[in-house]
Amino acid sequence: MTMKLLIGNVELANPVIAAPMAGVTDRAYRILAREAGCGLVFTEMISDQALIYGNPRTRIILEHGGEKGPLAVQVFGSNPDYMARAAEIVAGEGADIIDINMGCPTPKIVKNGEGAALMKNPELAAEIVSRVAARVKVPVTVKMRKGWDDDHVNAVELARLVEAAGAAAVTVHGRTRAQFYSGQADWDIIRRVKEAVGIPVIGNGDVRTPLDARRMLEETGCDGVMIGRASMGNPWIFSRTVHYLATGELLLEPTWEEKIRTALRHLDLLVALKGEHIGVLEMRKHAAWYLKGLRGAARLREKINQAGSVQEMKDILTGILMDAL
Ligand SMILES: Cc1cc2nc3c(=O)[nH]c(=O)nc-3n(C[C@H](O)[C@H](O)[C@H](O)COP(=O)(O)O)c2cc1C
């Protein structure tokens, strides 16, 4: 299969894409995902107004110094003028692609008409895309769900509208807003969107293994696969999927030694990005993901959660590494 994927004028080396995840896909995560060879990484979602008003927390979300390869920056909001201004700021910061969030199900977001709520207002959604696309030179993409709920499944219509408004690609997560993250993702909606538009379609939802990725590509005809939760504490999902799609060979899962060495690097990257206090706090959840499935993981997680400094956390991880050898 051909591995390259073109989004507007941005060429991805392969069609395996890391999903945007708030609280997860910061620069530390992205560096590891890129090293594992995924074709495109996303920032966490960023509010249009936070960008415009220069909220300091936003700066850290946007931080991408030293990262090699294309970066999609995801923005959420519902006001076309703010969204266009926010997109201009993000493009100025070096985004290669600007993605508009039309899938976030969180009540706090949808009550403002943002995220998945835009699926209930397709005209506004299309206007946002057209205003943003007119303002920036980089490709503008949209990430959406299947629909709002089972009675309002409109990904096909919305994909057509945003394509006409200038979107360069769409990602479809095969769940409705009402489902949040539960139930099984419906891949058939991805197939239907792919049949309806000419721009690249990225399929998303429940890709947990390299075999799932190939099955999604085959069953839906989509152009790329986006992997979210299965990549938490598991950047190897990207290398293993890219390799499997290119060669048909399934590489082994990483050893515990590799996992813990990568967790130690993740900790260093987080601390370099966010400082010791926040870095150590945020590493708790990542460490739990890296250690998932290890014997005694619950007890180790407890120990890790009590670590008050980088050194303490490193000592615990190194201790686990020694036991694993
Ligand atoms: C913790 C978490 C945070 C997320 N944050 C975002 C986000 O900021 N923007 C977005 O478009 N989707 C977000 N998502 C949704 C994912 O991008 C993805 O669509 C979803 O997890 C389904 O893919 P998966 O089955 O591979 O995890 C988030 C999901 C999770 C679990």
Side-chain angles (χ1 to χ4, degrees), residues 18-25 42-46 74 76 99-105 143-145 171-175 180-181 185 204-208 226-232 289:
M21 289 187 285
V24 181
T25 61
F42 278 69
T43 62
E44 305 164 75
M45 63 179 192
I46 313 178
Q74 192 189 57
F76 72 93
D99 186 69
I100 299 175
N101 182 318
M102 301 193 189
C104 181
K143 182 163 177 283
M144 64 177 72
R145 285 182 174 244
T171 301
V172 182
H173 174 197
R175 284 189 178 81
F180 284 76
Y181 296 98
N204 171 238
D206 298 347
V207 173
R208 298 191 188 94
M226 178 183 276
I227 304 176
R229 289 165 296 176
S231 71
M232 292 166 160
W289 292 326

Short mmCIF file of all heavy atoms in Angstrom, two decimals, residues 18-25 42-46 74 76 99-105 143-145 171-175 180-181 185 204-208 226-232 289, ligand 1:
data_model
loop_
_atom_site.label_atom_id
_atom_site.label_comp_id
_atom_site.label_asym_id
_atom_site.label_seq_id
_atom_site.Cartn_x
_atom_site.Cartn_y
_atom_site.Cartn_z
N ALA A 18 -1.68 10.34 15.52
CA ALA A 18 -1.95 10.39 16.97
C ALA A 18 -3.11 11.35 17.23
O ALA A 18 -3.09 12.49 16.76
CB ALA A 18 -0.70 10.84 17.71
N ALA A 19 -4.10 10.90 17.96
CA ALA A 19 -5.30 11.71 18.22
C ALA A 19 -5.00 12.87 19.17
O ALA A 19 -4.13 12.75 20.02
CB ALA A 19 -6.39 10.83 18.84
N PRO A 20 -5.74 13.97 19.04
CA PRO A 20 -5.63 15.01 20.06
C PRO A 20 -6.28 14.52 21.35
O PRO A 20 -7.38 13.98 21.31
CB PRO A 20 -6.45 16.18 19.48
CG PRO A 20 -7.39 15.56 18.50
CD PRO A 20 -6.73 14.30 18.01
N MET A 21 -5.59 14.67 22.48
CA MET A 21 -6.20 14.30 23.76
C MET A 21 -5.79 15.32 24.82
O MET A 21 -4.60 15.43 25.15
CB MET A 21 -5.78 12.88 24.18
CG MET A 21 -6.41 11.79 23.33
SD MET A 21 -6.05 10.12 23.94
CE MET A 21 -4.35 9.90 23.44
N ALA A 22 -6.80 16.02 25.33
CA ALA A 22 -6.55 17.02 26.37
C ALA A 22 -5.96 16.32 27.59
O ALA A 22 -6.42 15.26 27.99
CB ALA A 22 -7.85 17.72 26.73
N GLY A 23 -4.93 16.91 28.15
CA GLY A 23 -4.29 16.34 29.33
C GLY A 23 -3.32 15.22 29.00
O GLY A 23 -2.74 14.61 29.92
N VAL A 24 -3.13 14.92 27.73
CA VAL A 24 -2.26 13.80 27.35
C VAL A 24 -1.23 14.20 26.28
O VAL A 24 -0.03 13.98 26.44
CB VAL A 24 -3.07 12.59 26.82
CG1 VAL A 24 -2.15 11.43 26.45
CG2 VAL A 24 -4.12 12.14 27.84
N THR A 25 -1.71 14.81 25.19
CA THR A 25 -0.85 14.94 24.00
C THR A 25 -0.05 16.25 24.00
O THR A 25 -0.10 17.02 23.04
CB THR A 25 -1.66 14.77 22.69
OG1 THR A 25 -2.66 15.81 22.62
CG2 THR A 25 -2.34 13.43 22.64
N PHE A 42 -1.14 15.76 17.01
CA PHE A 42 -2.03 16.88 17.31
C PHE A 42 -1.70 17.44 18.70
O PHE A 42 -1.34 16.69 19.60
CB PHE A 42 -3.50 16.41 17.38
CG PHE A 42 -4.18 16.29 16.05
CD1 PHE A 42 -3.80 15.30 15.16
CD2 PHE A 42 -5.22 17.14 15.71
CE1 PHE A 42 -4.44 15.16 13.94
CE2 PHE A 42 -5.87 17.01 14.49
CZ PHE A 42 -5.49 16.03 13.60
N THR A 43 -1.92 18.72 18.87
CA THR A 43 -1.88 19.28 20.22
C THR A 43 -3.18 18.89 20.93
O THR A 43 -4.11 18.36 20.33
CB THR A 43 -1.86 20.82 20.19
OG1 THR A 43 -3.07 21.29 19.56
CG2 THR A 43 -0.64 21.35 19.46
N GLU A 44 -3.23 19.20 22.23
CA GLU A 44 -4.49 19.15 22.96
C GLU A 44 -5.36 20.28 22.40
O GLU A 44 -4.84 21.21 21.79
CB GLU A 44 -4.22 19.42 24.45
CG GLU A 44 -3.20 18.47 25.04
CD GLU A 44 -2.66 18.99 26.38
OE1 GLU A 44 -3.38 18.89 27.36
OE2 GLU A 44 -1.51 19.45 26.42
N MET A 45 -6.66 20.21 22.61
CA MET A 45 -7.51 21.28 22.09
C MET A 45 -7.22 22.60 22.84
O MET A 45 -6.92 22.59 24.03
CB MET A 45 -8.99 20.91 22.20
CG MET A 45 -9.50 20.70 23.59
SD MET A 45 -11.27 20.31 23.52
CE MET A 45 -11.69 20.46 25.25
N ILE A 46 -7.30 23.69 22.11
CA ILE A 46 -7.01 25.01 22.69
C ILE A 46 -8.19 25.93 22.40
O ILE A 46 -8.71 25.97 21.28
CB ILE A 46 -5.76 25.66 22.06
CG1 ILE A 46 -4.59 24.65 21.99
CG2 ILE A 46 -5.34 26.89 22.82
CD1 ILE A 46 -3.34 25.21 21.34
N GLN A 74 -5.09 21.94 17.39
CA GLN A 74 -6.56 21.90 17.40
C GLN A 74 -7.14 23.06 18.22
O GLN A 74 -6.73 23.30 19.35
CB GLN A 74 -7.07 20.58 17.98
CG GLN A 74 -8.55 20.43 17.71
CD GLN A 74 -9.17 19.26 18.44
OE1 GLN A 74 -9.10 19.17 19.65
NE2 GLN A 74 -9.77 18.35 17.68
N PHE A 76 -10.76 25.04 19.58
CA PHE A 76 -12.21 24.93 19.73
C PHE A 76 -12.82 26.30 20.03
O PHE A 76 -12.17 27.17 20.59
CB PHE A 76 -12.61 23.90 20.80
CG PHE A 76 -12.33 24.32 22.22
CD1 PHE A 76 -13.32 24.94 22.99
CD2 PHE A 76 -11.11 24.07 22.81
CE1 PHE A 76 -13.08 25.29 24.32
CE2 PHE A 76 -10.85 24.42 24.13
CZ PHE A 76 -11.83 25.04 24.88
N ASP A 99 -6.75 22.34 13.04
CA ASP A 99 -7.89 21.44 13.13
C ASP A 99 -8.95 22.09 14.00
O ASP A 99 -8.66 22.67 15.04
CB ASP A 99 -7.46 20.10 13.75
CG ASP A 99 -8.58 19.08 13.72
OD1 ASP A 99 -8.92 18.63 12.61
OD2 ASP A 99 -9.13 18.75 14.80
N ILE A 100 -10.19 21.95 13.58
CA ILE A 100 -11.30 22.53 14.33
C ILE A 100 -12.06 21.42 15.03
O ILE A 100 -12.47 20.44 14.40
CB ILE A 100 -12.21 23.34 13.38
CG1 ILE A 100 -11.37 24.46 12.76
CG2 ILE A 100 -13.41 23.91 14.15
CD1 ILE A 100 -12.08 25.25 11.73
N ASN A 101 -12.23 21.60 16.34
CA ASN A 101 -12.86 20.57 17.16
C ASN A 101 -14.38 20.65 17.03
O ASN A 101 -15.00 21.64 17.43
CB ASN A 101 -12.43 20.77 18.62
CG ASN A 101 -13.01 19.72 19.54
OD1 ASN A 101 -14.17 19.35 19.44
ND2 ASN A 101 -12.21 19.23 20.47
N MET A 102 -14.97 19.60 16.47
CA MET A 102 -16.43 19.49 16.41
C MET A 102 -16.87 18.18 17.04
O MET A 102 -17.90 17.61 16.66
CB MET A 102 -16.92 19.60 14.96
CG MET A 102 -16.51 20.92 14.29
SD MET A 102 -17.37 21.21 12.75
CE MET A 102 -16.48 22.65 12.15
N GLY A 103 -16.05 17.70 17.99
CA GLY A 103 -16.37 16.40 18.57
C GLY A 103 -16.37 16.34 20.08
O GLY A 103 -16.85 15.36 20.66
N CYS A 104 -15.85 17.38 20.74
CA CYS A 104 -15.72 17.29 22.20
C CYS A 104 -17.12 17.20 22.84
O CYS A 104 -17.97 18.06 22.60
CB CYS A 104 -14.95 18.50 22.75
SG CYS A 104 -14.78 18.38 24.55
N PRO A 105 -17.35 16.17 23.67
CA PRO A 105 -18.68 15.96 24.24
C PRO A 105 -18.91 16.60 25.61
O PRO A 105 -20.01 16.55 26.15
CB PRO A 105 -18.72 14.43 24.40
CG PRO A 105 -17.30 14.06 24.74
CD PRO A 105 -16.42 15.06 24.01
N LYS A 143 -12.40 17.78 12.98
CA LYS A 143 -12.59 16.49 13.65
C LYS A 143 -14.00 16.47 14.23
O LYS A 143 -14.37 17.34 15.02
CB LYS A 143 -11.56 16.30 14.76
CG LYS A 143 -11.68 14.96 15.47
CD LYS A 143 -10.40 14.64 16.25
CE LYS A 143 -10.49 13.36 17.03
NZ LYS A 143 -11.28 13.48 18.27
N MET A 144 -14.76 15.49 13.78
CA MET A 144 -16.18 15.43 14.17
C MET A 144 -16.52 14.04 14.68
O MET A 144 -15.71 13.10 14.62
CB MET A 144 -17.06 15.77 12.96
CG MET A 144 -16.94 14.77 11.81
SD MET A 144 -18.06 15.14 10.44
CE MET A 144 -17.32 16.59 9.72
N ARG A 145 -17.73 13.92 15.18
CA ARG A 145 -18.26 12.62 15.57
C ARG A 145 -19.26 12.15 14.52
O ARG A 145 -19.47 12.81 13.51
CB ARG A 145 -18.92 12.74 16.95
CG ARG A 145 -17.92 12.81 18.07
CD ARG A 145 -18.58 12.87 19.42
NE ARG A 145 -17.57 12.79 20.45
CZ ARG A 145 -17.47 11.79 21.34
NH1 ARG A 145 -18.34 10.81 21.36
NH2 ARG A 145 -16.50 11.78 22.23
N THR A 171 -11.70 14.20 10.08
CA THR A 171 -11.57 13.00 10.91
C THR A 171 -12.96 12.68 11.44
O THR A 171 -13.67 13.59 11.88
CB THR A 171 -10.64 13.27 12.11
OG1 THR A 171 -9.36 13.65 11.62
CG2 THR A 171 -10.50 12.02 12.98
N VAL A 172 -13.32 11.41 11.38
CA VAL A 172 -14.63 11.00 11.90
C VAL A 172 -14.42 9.99 13.02
O VAL A 172 -13.86 8.91 12.80
CB VAL A 172 -15.51 10.37 10.80
CG1 VAL A 172 -16.87 9.99 11.37
CG2 VAL A 172 -15.66 11.34 9.62
N HIS A 173 -14.87 10.36 14.22
CA HIS A 173 -14.90 9.43 15.36
C HIS A 173 -16.29 8.80 15.35
O HIS A 173 -17.30 9.52 15.46
CB HIS A 173 -14.63 10.23 16.66
CG HIS A 173 -14.78 9.41 17.90
ND1 HIS A 173 -14.93 9.98 19.15
CD2 HIS A 173 -14.82 8.07 18.10
CE1 HIS A 173 -15.05 9.02 20.06
NE2 HIS A 173 -14.99 7.86 19.46
N GLY A 174 -16.32 7.47 15.21
CA GLY A 174 -17.60 6.80 14.98
C GLY A 174 -18.49 6.63 16.21
O GLY A 174 -19.06 5.56 16.41
N ARG A 175 -18.57 7.65 17.03
CA ARG A 175 -19.53 7.65 18.15
C ARG A 175 -20.32 8.95 18.12
O ARG A 175 -19.81 9.97 17.63
CB ARG A 175 -18.80 7.60 19.51
CG ARG A 175 -18.25 6.27 19.89
CD ARG A 175 -17.74 6.26 21.33
NE ARG A 175 -17.24 4.94 21.68
CZ ARG A 175 -16.03 4.49 21.36
NH1 ARG A 175 -15.19 5.26 20.70
NH2 ARG A 175 -15.69 3.27 21.69
N PHE A 180 -20.50 9.66 24.37
CA PHE A 180 -19.21 10.05 24.95
C PHE A 180 -18.13 9.08 24.44
O PHE A 180 -17.83 9.07 23.26
CB PHE A 180 -19.27 10.11 26.49
CG PHE A 180 -19.99 11.35 26.97
CD1 PHE A 180 -21.37 11.45 26.91
CD2 PHE A 180 -19.28 12.42 27.47
CE1 PHE A 180 -22.03 12.60 27.34
CE2 PHE A 180 -19.92 13.58 27.91
CZ PHE A 180 -21.30 13.66 27.83
N TYR A 181 -17.58 8.23 25.35
CA TYR A 181 -16.55 7.28 24.91
C TYR A 181 -17.02 5.85 25.10
O TYR A 181 -16.21 4.92 25.03
CB TYR A 181 -15.24 7.54 25.67
CG TYR A 181 -14.68 8.90 25.34
CD1 TYR A 181 -14.89 9.98 26.18
CD2 TYR A 181 -14.00 9.11 24.14
CE1 TYR A 181 -14.43 11.25 25.85
CE2 TYR A 181 -13.52 10.36 23.81
CZ TYR A 181 -13.74 11.43 24.67
OH TYR A 181 -13.28 12.67 24.33
N ALA A 185 -17.36 2.03 18.63
CA ALA A 185 -17.37 3.02 17.55
C ALA A 185 -17.96 2.37 16.29
O ALA A 185 -17.67 1.21 15.99
CB ALA A 185 -15.96 3.52 17.28
N ASN A 204 -11.49 7.14 13.01
CA ASN A 204 -11.10 7.15 14.43
C ASN A 204 -12.14 6.44 15.30
O ASN A 204 -13.33 6.55 15.06
CB ASN A 204 -10.93 8.62 14.88
CG ASN A 204 -10.73 8.78 16.38
OD1 ASN A 204 -11.51 9.47 17.05
ND2 ASN A 204 -9.72 8.14 16.94
N GLY A 205 -11.62 5.73 16.28
CA GLY A 205 -12.48 5.08 17.26
C GLY A 205 -12.17 3.61 17.37
O GLY A 205 -12.37 2.85 16.43
N ASP A 206 -11.62 3.22 18.55
CA ASP A 206 -11.39 1.82 18.88
C ASP A 206 -10.31 1.13 18.04
O ASP A 206 -10.36 -0.08 17.86
CB ASP A 206 -12.70 1.00 18.77
CG ASP A 206 -13.75 1.49 19.75
OD1 ASP A 206 -13.40 2.27 20.66
OD2 ASP A 206 -14.92 1.10 19.61
N VAL A 207 -9.35 1.87 17.53
CA VAL A 207 -8.19 1.21 16.92
C VAL A 207 -7.22 0.93 18.07
O VAL A 207 -6.67 1.86 18.66
CB VAL A 207 -7.53 2.08 15.83
CG1 VAL A 207 -6.23 1.43 15.34
CG2 VAL A 207 -8.49 2.27 14.67
N ARG A 208 -7.08 -0.34 18.41
CA ARG A 208 -6.28 -0.70 19.59
C ARG A 208 -5.04 -1.51 19.21
O ARG A 208 -4.14 -1.68 20.02
CB ARG A 208 -7.11 -1.54 20.56
CG ARG A 208 -8.31 -0.79 21.11
CD ARG A 208 -8.96 -1.54 22.26
NE ARG A 208 -10.20 -0.91 22.62
CZ ARG A 208 -11.39 -1.28 22.14
NH1 ARG A 208 -11.49 -2.28 21.31
NH2 ARG A 208 -12.49 -0.63 22.50
N MET A 226 -6.61 7.24 13.00
CA MET A 226 -6.20 8.03 14.16
C MET A 226 -6.35 7.18 15.42
O MET A 226 -7.39 6.56 15.62
CB MET A 226 -7.07 9.29 14.26
CG MET A 226 -6.76 10.14 15.47
SD MET A 226 -7.87 11.54 15.58
CE MET A 226 -7.08 12.71 14.50
N ILE A 227 -5.30 7.18 16.22
CA ILE A 227 -5.28 6.34 17.42
C ILE A 227 -5.18 7.22 18.66
O ILE A 227 -4.28 8.06 18.76
CB ILE A 227 -4.09 5.35 17.37
CG1 ILE A 227 -4.16 4.52 16.08
CG2 ILE A 227 -4.07 4.46 18.62
CD1 ILE A 227 -2.98 3.58 15.88
N GLY A 228 -6.11 7.03 19.58
CA GLY A 228 -6.13 7.82 20.81
C GLY A 228 -5.73 7.01 22.02
O GLY A 228 -4.55 6.84 22.32
N ARG A 229 -6.74 6.46 22.71
CA ARG A 229 -6.49 5.84 24.02
C ARG A 229 -5.46 4.72 23.98
O ARG A 229 -4.71 4.56 24.94
CB ARG A 229 -7.82 5.36 24.60
CG ARG A 229 -8.70 6.53 25.03
CD ARG A 229 -10.13 6.10 25.25
NE ARG A 229 -10.74 5.63 24.01
CZ ARG A 229 -11.94 5.14 23.92
NH1 ARG A 229 -12.68 5.04 25.00
NH2 ARG A 229 -12.43 4.77 22.75
N ALA A 230 -5.42 3.98 22.88
CA ALA A 230 -4.47 2.85 22.83
C ALA A 230 -3.01 3.32 22.81
O ALA A 230 -2.10 2.51 22.94
CB ALA A 230 -4.76 1.98 21.60
N SER A 231 -2.80 4.62 22.64
CA SER A 231 -1.42 5.12 22.61
C SER A 231 -0.96 5.64 23.97
O SER A 231 0.19 6.04 24.13
CB SER A 231 -1.29 6.23 21.57
OG SER A 231 -1.95 7.41 22.03
N MET A 232 -1.87 5.63 24.94
CA MET A 232 -1.48 6.14 26.27
C MET A 232 -0.50 5.15 26.90
O MET A 232 -0.82 3.96 27.05
CB MET A 232 -2.71 6.26 27.15
CG MET A 232 -3.68 7.35 26.71
SD MET A 232 -5.24 7.09 27.59
CE MET A 232 -5.99 8.70 27.45
N TRP A 289 -0.26 4.18 33.01
CA TRP A 289 -0.52 3.60 31.68
C TRP A 289 0.64 2.72 31.23
O TRP A 289 0.43 1.64 30.70
CB TRP A 289 -0.78 4.71 30.66
CG TRP A 289 -2.07 5.45 30.88
CD1 TRP A 289 -3.23 4.93 31.38
CD2 TRP A 289 -2.32 6.84 30.65
NE1 TRP A 289 -4.18 5.92 31.46
CE2 TRP A 289 -3.66 7.10 31.01
CE3 TRP A 289 -1.56 7.91 30.15
CZ2 TRP A 289 -4.26 8.35 30.91
CZ3 TRP A 289 -2.15 9.16 30.04
CH2 TRP A 289 -3.48 9.39 30.41
C1 LIG B 1 -8.43 11.90 27.78
C2 LIG B 1 -8.98 12.24 26.41
C3 LIG B 1 -8.88 13.55 25.96
C4 LIG B 1 -9.38 13.88 24.68
N1 LIG B 1 -9.24 15.16 24.24
C5 LIG B 1 -9.61 15.47 22.96
C6 LIG B 1 -9.35 16.76 22.42
O1 LIG B 1 -8.75 17.64 23.06
N2 LIG B 1 -9.77 17.00 21.15
C7 LIG B 1 -10.42 16.05 20.40
O2 LIG B 1 -10.79 16.31 19.26
N3 LIG B 1 -10.67 14.82 20.89
C8 LIG B 1 -10.26 14.51 22.14
N4 LIG B 1 -10.45 13.23 22.60
C9 LIG B 1 -11.04 12.20 21.72
C10 LIG B 1 -9.95 11.42 20.96
O3 LIG B 1 -9.23 12.29 20.09
C11 LIG B 1 -10.58 10.29 20.13
O4 LIG B 1 -11.49 10.84 19.21
C12 LIG B 1 -11.31 9.26 20.98
O5 LIG B 1 -10.56 8.92 22.15
C13 LIG B 1 -11.61 7.98 20.18
O6 LIG B 1 -10.44 7.38 19.69
P1 LIG B 1 -9.77 6.08 20.42
O7 LIG B 1 -10.83 5.02 20.48
O8 LIG B 1 -8.61 5.72 19.56
O9 LIG B 1 -9.36 6.53 21.81
C14 LIG B 1 -10.00 12.89 23.87
C15 LIG B 1 -10.10 11.58 24.35
C16 LIG B 1 -9.59 11.24 25.60
C17 LIG B 1 -9.70 9.81 26.07
#
